[in-house]
Structures are given as C-alpha cells and as structure tokens.
Amino acid sequence: ETGVNREYLSDVPQRVIVIGANETETLLDLGIEEAILAADDGQNSQWYGIKASNEKAFQRLPRIDRSTIQAEHFLEMHPDMIIAEQQFFSKTRLGSTDYWNTTSPGKLNQVETVEKEMKFIRDLGIIFHKEETAEKIVSATENRIHDIAETVASHKKPKVMILDRMSILASYGRKKIAGDMAASIGGVVPDTTAAVSDEMMMKLDPDVVFL
C-alpha cells in the first residue's frame, strides 16, 4: 500500500516556471513574483483574464510560449520548481513527473474538490514561506462560499452543468473542481462523463448552463 507522499524542500525556490492561469494567479496572490522565472504567454485573454489586482505584476513576468513547453527547453532554463497543469506532464511535452523527481499530478479520474484546492494553496504558502498570506486567501475563499451558501439556503437548488466546447462537448461534472465549486454554493451538479452528447444534455435538463 502506498503511503502519504511527502516532499521536503531545503530552500525556497528562486527559479519557478509556472504554466496555467490559476497557478500563475495563485503565485502572484502569494506575492512571489520575484521567484517566477517564466510564465506561459497565453494566460491573459478575453476568456481567461488576469484579475486587475495582478495585471501589472503579470505584465512584468518573463514569458514562455505554450508551443515551447518541452522538457529540453525547460532543462536549458534550469528551473528549481515547475508548477504546471497536469496535461503538460505527457510524453510529447514535459515527460512524466518521475523524470523531474517530483510529485505526480492527480490521475485524470481523481475527484477534484475545493478542499484539495485550498490544500494546494496552503502547501505553496509553506514552500515559499508565505503561510500567513496563503491562510488569508483560504479564509477569504471559505468565507465567500459560506456567505453565498447561506444566502441561497432557502432557495430551490438549481441543476447546473458546466460545459466547454472543444473537439467534443466536455462537461465539468460533480467530480471536477468547477462542479464542486458550483455544488459548494448550492447548485446540484450531475456526475457526468467527460464528453456529453446533446441527447444527454436534454435528458439531464439543467436549469443553468455555463459554457
């Protein structure tokens, strides 16, 4: 049986490559802009905009284009930490996390929760010695969830689906972080497959759809 995975860092990382809007925003919220060696260039768009409080800091970051996210390129940059979306730890991109001697990302079928996301933020706080700032982020998030849930407690819970149009119509169901977020504030989120058909949509008959 596999035990709890524990990673120990003897020094605070000083050369961090970060890939992903959520990951980049979290590091900026923690106030560790100076440690970011490079962030990917596709994060500030009309669809996934960096929030106003982080915009100036984001514009100062050195950039890396997503097309150059390859193990060979990263090795040339000599990072001491890589924080990236799990999709990039693949054969055609960065390779496995074993190659980098680090913690493996969650399996694609792993249940994602707000609680795990809060742990991720707390862990980053420990790594970068920003525990107090991390705790403020977590507390603000938990308080906001509580306030919304309390406000809508007397209302009928709407059935919610969160979708993304890619090569397929993808659903972020109950076991994904977006689904758990919606459920935590009073939505009823169906546990769907990753790909959903028009027929399934009609059968589930959601009250609210985020696309």
Side-chain angles (χ1 to χ4, degrees):
E1 184 179 343
T2 304
V4 176
N5 187 303
R6 300 187 189 279
E7 299 287 328
Y8 295 93
L9 284 78
S10 57
D11 299 298
V12 176
Q14 300 295 320
R15 297 176 61 83
V16 180
I17 298 177
V18 57
I19 308 298
N22 175 55
E23 292 80 0
T24 303
E25 288 262 47
T26 301
L27 293 186
L28 292 177
D29 283 342
L30 287 171
I32 51 178
E33 174 193 347
E34 70 284 351
I36 299 176
L37 177 65
D40 68 298
D41 202 34
Q43 293 308 294
N44 198 16
S45 68
Q46 59 179 315
W47 300 282
Y48 304 104
I50 297 295
K51 61 188 178 186
S53 60
N54 284 331
E55 178 67 27
K56 288 184 179 179
F58 179 79
Q59 294 300 337
R60 290 192 293 265
L61 296 178
R63 307 298 178 82
I64 181 171
D65 191 277
R66 284 206 165 197
S67 64
T68 66
I69 298 176
Q70 305 288 340
E72 295 78 9
H73 186 204
F74 277 24
L75 285 169
E76 292 173 356
M77 297 175 72
H78 303 292
D80 55 17
M81 174 171 275
I82 299 171
I83 300 173
E85 297 169 344
Q86 69 177 24
Q87 63 176 307
F88 289 100
F89 290 98
S90 64
K91 290 181 180 179
T92 58
R93 290 290 197 164
L94 298 177
S96 72
T97 50
D98 289 337
Y99 175 76
W100 296 97
N101 188 30
T102 189
T103 305
S104 298
K107 302 294 184 184
L108 289 175
N109 62 355
Q110 182 178 342
V111 176
E112 300 173 0
T113 65
V114 173
E115 184 180 356
K116 289 179 180 178
E117 191 72 9
M118 296 303 99
K119 183 180 184 304
F120 168 66
I121 292 170
R122 284 188 171 110
D123 286 348
L124 287 176
I126 293 169
I127 289 168
F128 290 98
H129 296 182
K130 296 283 186 177
E131 292 95 331
E132 187 176 339
T133 305
E135 200 57 44
K136 286 180 180 178
I137 295 171
V138 171
S139 294
T141 304
E142 291 176 343
N143 290 339
R144 180 65 171 153
I145 289 171
H146 177 267
D147 289 346
I148 296 172
E150 204 171 54
T151 300
V152 302
S154 60
H155 296 226
K156 178 186 175 183
K157 292 187 175 183
K159 184 184 289 184
V160 180
M161 292 190 73
I162 303 159
L163 306 173
D164 196 359
R165 283 202 177 276
M166 300 184 280
S167 56
I168 59 169
L169 184 62
S171 171
Y172 299 94
R174 187 62 184 84
K175 293 179 181 177
K176 305 301 287 184
I177 182 65
D180 193 55
M181 288 169 63
S184 71
I185 57 173
V188 176
V189 183
D191 184 12
T192 64
T193 54
V196 293
S197 63
D198 292 343
E199 291 76 11
M200 185 183 295
M201 281 280 296
M202 293 175 66
K203 184 177 180 180
L204 289 169
D205 191 24
D207 301 302
V208 180
V209 175
F210 293 98
L211 182 62

